[in-house]
Amino acid sequence: MELFLKRKSPPSATDQDEGSSQRNKGASNISAPTRTSLILSPKDVNLDELPYDPADRKRIIEYPGFKLQEEIRRRYLIRGPHRPQPGFNYPQTIIRKKPRQLNPDWFEQYDWLEYSEKVDKAFCLYCYLSRDCIDGQAGNDAFVTKGFSGWNNKPRLDTHVGGVTSYHNVAVKRCNNLLKPSQSIEFALKKQQDVAKEEYFIRLSTSINAVRYLLHQGLAFRGHNESEDSANRGNFLELVKLLAEQNEKIKRVVLRNAPENHQMVSPEIQKDIANCFAEIIVNSIIEEIGGDVFCLLVDESADVSDKEQMAVVLRYVNNCGELKERLIGVVHVAETTSACLKSNIDALFSKYKLSWKQVRRQGYDGASNMRGEFNGLRALILKENGSAHYVHCFAHQLQLVIVAVAKKNDDISDFFDMISLLLNVAGASCKRKDMIRQSQQERVKRAIGSGQISTGTGLNQEQTLQRPGDTRWCSHYKTLKSLNSLFPSVIEILQYVEKDGPNDKKRRQARGLLDYLKDFDFVFHLHMMLMILGHGNSLSLCLQRKDQDILEAMSEVKLTKQKFQQIRDDGWESLLQTIYSFCEEHSTPKLDMEEEYIDRHKPRKK
């Protein structure tokens, strides 16, 4: 930055005389070309061309800008007081009829003293630099304004210095501080700003780390009572408190030690940070897809607040050839019509700059608003992109097939109704669940002692009755499997409820269940459904593999159909043998398969 006025021509003698006259008057506004008659700007000033002679210097306040003025003061201090070279011939002045001149020894005694060869006068560098910064009449002293030339009056120099609190000593102190940046106001303000920024960064980093952990673990942020006197203020605040306890540097600036309006723990801050993480993740997914094609997977369901939510998932192949399925958004929809779903997907695609031309497949459930051939979401997307073929989830289709077949058979439907009642009676309380677990442990210990079962890693784990889902028939398989393993324990619990049940209704239900579980029909249905659902579960798990391709999926479906056909053709004897073994183990009466079968729903038909 150029800091000093570059004059086109040197001032004339008249100009110099006018400048000297103005200095003698102590005026601050000088009409000479070297002073305020010329408008200065930072561009017109050059630090390297600051005048050396004190008589040529302008007042510091005449330079524009506080920072420029401070820099000029600093440059003059680095240079030091202006003094002639050794051997300089000081001019003499007749004072009281005697020739007088400046004594060069004074420079050794007074480090602030400087001399102007131009006007043959002495000045004070420190008072000149601080003249416009310190209040006081001493700023108009001769050593600051017109110069000192009383060479016969050396005590006048000591008078100028004065006492400890004199203007001169205050000016000296200020100049010394100016050379020490750590003591300047600017440095103090900057240091204060740096401390505030560091504290802000620590608070923000702590909140970010807490949000990252809670998002990764899928935990709730808020607590029921987040007041200061609460024993549990919620996961977020408790985690921030834990981080503060582990790090003294964090503890000094967070929660109570932070400004009340700058703690970075409010719900709005938590949501903002979580949204930032979501945007970063989704943008990385979009960047990984690039301009390549992908499949669109959509499903909707109501959340705990009874708001309809639509989940949008993209299925694609990355640059490494790996198949990826990534959730890019959960959107609230006002209604579940195909037009509303389509408009929300359009908004999501527009937000992340995705095109319908990139879609190659679309997959939904079997609802009419999704897979409808004329007005469904499937049809609306096909109008924009004919390559976005619809594929109904194979695993979901398998579940629907099993459900439809089971509902058409009265015996199987009654069987699962009794299983549901059994779970309500035997597993309705923690006490009965504990009784089942204890009974199972005792049976396992006896079996290990007699050598009936082997031990090893992962074997003989603690079990309990698992409650099945409404549409996930794989969970029904797990329920039947646990019932088969815990059958003796379940019988003991039902006998306990029949005898010491809480009310007559439970006792009657337990009695009816005991009669049903000890019947051959139950054993037959149990093992037949275990076999069928076992193969269906294996196929379902295979179809839901992330790395599954269409050819392998078709091969697995074909193989499962062959297994079922083989069971129809040759599986009767093996199934009957398994059932008879179960009956013998648990003292269940066997049924002679050669006897006439009487349908309990149609007893007259044999």
Side-chain angles (χ1 to χ4, degrees):
M1 180 187 297
E2 296 183 352
L3 297 180
F4 189 69
L5 174 65
K6 296 181 178 179
R7 291 174 294 188
K8 294 182 179 179
S9 59
S12 62
T14 304
D15 295 334
Q16 293 180 3
D17 293 339
E18 290 177 357
S20 301
S21 174
Q22 292 291 346
R23 280 197 304 272
N24 292 337
K25 295 179 180 179
S28 60
N29 295 325
I30 302 175
S31 60
T34 58
R35 298 301 175 94
T36 57
S37 61
L38 298 177
I39 300 176
L40 295 177
S41 69
K43 295 182 179 179
D44 300 323
V45 188
N46 187 344
L47 267 179
D48 297 330
E49 296 184 4
L50 291 173
Y52 284 85
D53 195 290
D56 293 334
R57 298 173 186 167
K58 297 183 292 294
R59 292 181 60 171
I60 302 297
I61 197 174
E62 295 180 19
Y63 293 95
F66 173 77
K67 290 186 177 180
L68 176 60
Q69 295 172 8
E70 290 295 287
E71 185 61 28
I72 292 175
R73 290 188 178 94
R74 190 175 289 107
R75 284 298 183 96
Y76 274 125
L77 288 173
I78 294 174
R79 285 183 183 178
H82 174 65
R83 293 165 180 177
Q85 295 292 332
F88 176 75
N89 187 17
Y90 292 94
Q92 293 184 349
T93 303
I94 303 299
I95 300 176
R96 294 186 180 183
K97 300 180 181 181
K98 291 184 179 180
R100 303 284 186 178
Q101 66 179 16
L102 183 140
N103 187 354
D105 295 338
W106 293 352
F107 293 136
E108 299 293 333
Q109 186 175 356
Y110 303 100
D111 60 346
W112 48 268
L113 189 64
E114 58 181 354
Y115 177 77
S116 170
E117 300 96 329
K118 187 175 183 180
V119 296
D120 185 30
K121 291 184 179 181
F123 296 87
C124 175
L125 175 63
Y126 296 143
C127 292
Y128 159 72
L129 296 179
S130 302
R131 179 182 182 185
D132 302 306
C133 302
I134 303 175
D135 295 333
Q137 295 298 325
N140 296 321
D141 190 276
F143 286 93
V144 182
T145 56
K146 57 186 178 182
F148 172 76
S149 58
W151 312 129
N152 64 328
N153 188 13
K154 180 186 176 184
R156 178 69 176 80
L157 277 67
D158 296 325
T159 303
H160 172 76
V161 173
V164 177
T165 59
S166 66
Y167 181 95
H168 173 83
N169 286 322
V170 173
V172 172
K173 184 177 181 180
R174 188 185 184 283
C175 291
N176 291 335
N177 292 338
L178 185 62
L179 290 178
K180 300 176 183 179
S182 60
Q183 298 182 9
S184 64
I185 297 177
E186 181 180 2
F187 180 84
L189 292 176
K190 185 176 183 302
K191 184 177 180 181
Q192 186 176 4
Q193 293 175 356
D194 292 341
V195 171
K197 289 180 180 179
E198 183 181 2
E199 293 179 353
Y200 170 81
F201 179 76
I202 293 174
R203 285 191 290 270
L204 179 60
S205 300
T206 304
S207 298
I208 289 175
N209 292 333
V211 171
R212 179 189 287 119
Y213 175 81
L214 295 176
L215 290 175
H216 186 268
Q217 298 301 117
L219 300 175
F221 281 45
R222 305 294 304 280
H224 295 293
N225 183 3
E226 295 188 349
S227 60
E228 290 287 342
D229 55 350
S230 174
N232 187 350
R233 302 178 64 190
N235 291 332
F236 179 81
L237 292 177
E238 292 295 334
L239 184 55
V240 172
K241 182 179 178 181
L242 177 62
L243 293 174
E245 291 176 353
Q246 302 298 320
N247 191 320
E248 189 65 28
K249 189 176 182 181
I250 296 177
K251 186 176 182 179
R252 289 198 301 265
V253 297
V254 300
L255 298 178
R256 293 183 177 180
N257 297 327
E260 291 185 1
N261 60 343
H262 204 255
Q263 295 186 7
M264 304 297 289
V265 294
S266 66
E268 291 76 11
I269 295 294
Q270 300 174 31
K271 292 178 182 178
D272 288 344
I273 296 175
N275 290 333
C276 289
F277 274 116
E279 290 298 324
I280 291 173
I281 294 173
V282 174
N283 289 333
S284 66
I285 294 172
I286 302 303
E287 183 179 355
E288 190 175 21
I289 295 175
D292 293 339
V293 297
F294 56 85
C295 299
L296 175 65
L297 307 177
V298 178
D299 196 9
E300 79 276 357
S301 64
D303 60 11
V304 294
S305 60
D306 292 331
K307 293 182 180 179
E308 196 70 28
Q309 304 285 352
M310 178 180 65
V312 181
V313 177
L314 301 184
R315 182 182 175 96
Y316 61 94
V317 178
N318 62 8
N319 296 330
C320 300
E322 299 173 341
L323 185 63
K324 301 290 185 180
E325 286 187 3
R326 294 291 183 263
L327 175 71
I328 66 167
V330 178
V331 184
H332 171 64
V333 291
E335 53 185 358
T336 57
T337 61
S338 57
C340 181
L341 297 178
K342 175 67 165 51
S343 63
N344 281 277
I345 296 176
D346 284 337
L348 195 65
F349 274 30
S350 175
K351 178 180 179 181
Y352 297 115
K353 299 180 180 179
L354 296 173
S355 172
W356 284 111
K357 300 299 181 182
Q358 297 176 257
V359 181
R360 287 297 177 269
R361 292 290 185 272
Q362 46 179 326
Y364 321 114
D365 57 19
S368 59
N369 65 328
M370 305 295 285
R371 62 173 298 182
E373 295 184 7
F374 300 103
N375 296 319
L377 180 61
R378 159 197 182 182
L380 296 178
I381 295 177
L382 282 173
K383 290 180 182 178
E384 296 199 22
N385 182 7
S387 300
H389 301 293
Y390 169 74
V391 178
H392 191 179
C393 174
F394 287 168
H396 195 268
Q397 291 185 60
L398 177 62
Q399 308 294 341
L400 296 178
V401 168
I402 297 176
V403 171
V405 172
K407 286 183 178 180
K408 288 184 178 182
N409 188 286
D410 293 336
D411 291 332
I412 298 300
S413 180
D414 293 343
F415 168 75
F416 280 107
D417 288 341
M418 296 301 290
I419 294 297
S420 178
L421 179 60
L422 172 64
L423 294 173
N424 291 333
V425 174
S429 66
C430 297
K431 178 181 178 180
R432 295 169 199 169
K433 291 180 180 179
D434 289 338
M435 293 173 65
I436 292 177
R437 283 191 288 264
Q438 292 175 4
S439 177
Q440 173 68 5
Q441 290 176 2
E442 293 175 359
R443 288 178 52 252
V444 170
K445 289 179 181 179
R446 289 196 300 267
I448 292 176
S450 60
Q452 295 179 3
I453 59 176
S454 58
T455 59
T457 303
L459 300 179
N460 309 318
Q461 296 294 312
E462 187 179 82
Q463 297 184 24
T464 186
L465 289 176
Q466 298 188 16
R467 189 172 296 274
D470 294 333
T471 58
R472 299 302 179 187
W473 281 76
C474 295
S475 63
H476 288 73
Y477 170 71
K478 295 178 181 179
T479 300
L480 298 183
K481 189 176 179 181
S482 62
L483 176 58
N484 184 49
S485 302
L486 301 173
F487 186 78
S489 302
V490 172
I491 295 296
E492 293 179 6
I493 295 301
L494 292 177
Q495 291 174 349
Y496 166 78
V497 176
E498 182 187 16
K499 181 179 179 181
D500 302 322
N503 51 57
D504 293 339
K505 181 180 179 180
K506 290 295 183 182
R507 287 194 288 268
R508 288 195 304 268
Q509 290 175 345
R511 188 181 307 113
L513 286 170
L514 282 172
D515 293 340
Y516 180 73
L517 295 182
K518 293 179 179 179
D519 187 67
F520 181 83
D521 287 353
F522 164 77
V523 180
F524 180 84
H525 293 146
L526 173 64
H527 286 84
M528 184 180 68
M529 293 309 300
L530 273 173
M531 178 179 61
I532 295 174
L533 294 179
H535 291 296
N537 182 60
S538 300
L539 177 59
S540 180
L541 294 177
C542 180
L543 294 177
Q544 294 181 69
R545 276 170 36 199
K546 292 183 179 181
D547 58 346
Q548 185 65 273
D549 56 52
I550 187 66
L551 295 178
E552 188 175 356
M554 294 174 63
S555 176
E556 291 291 339
V557 172
K558 183 178 180 180
L559 181 60
T560 303
K561 291 170 65 177
Q562 292 176 354
K563 289 180 181 179
F564 281 126
Q565 187 61 45
Q566 185 179 3
I567 291 173
R568 290 191 183 97
D569 297 338
D570 306 319
W572 172 254
E573 294 297 334
S574 61
L575 174 62
L576 197 59
Q577 185 62 37
T578 303
I579 295 172
Y580 283 163
S581 299
F582 184 88
C583 291
E584 292 176 358
E585 182 181 355
H586 300 97
S587 303
T588 302
K590 301 182 199 177
L591 185 65
D592 187 359
M593 302 306 295
E594 300 299 329
E595 294 181 356
E596 291 182 344
Y597 171 69
I598 301 176
D599 189 351
R600 60 190 177 90
H601 301 288
K602 300 176 182 180
R604 292 185 179 182
K605 185 177 179 180
K606 299 183 181 181

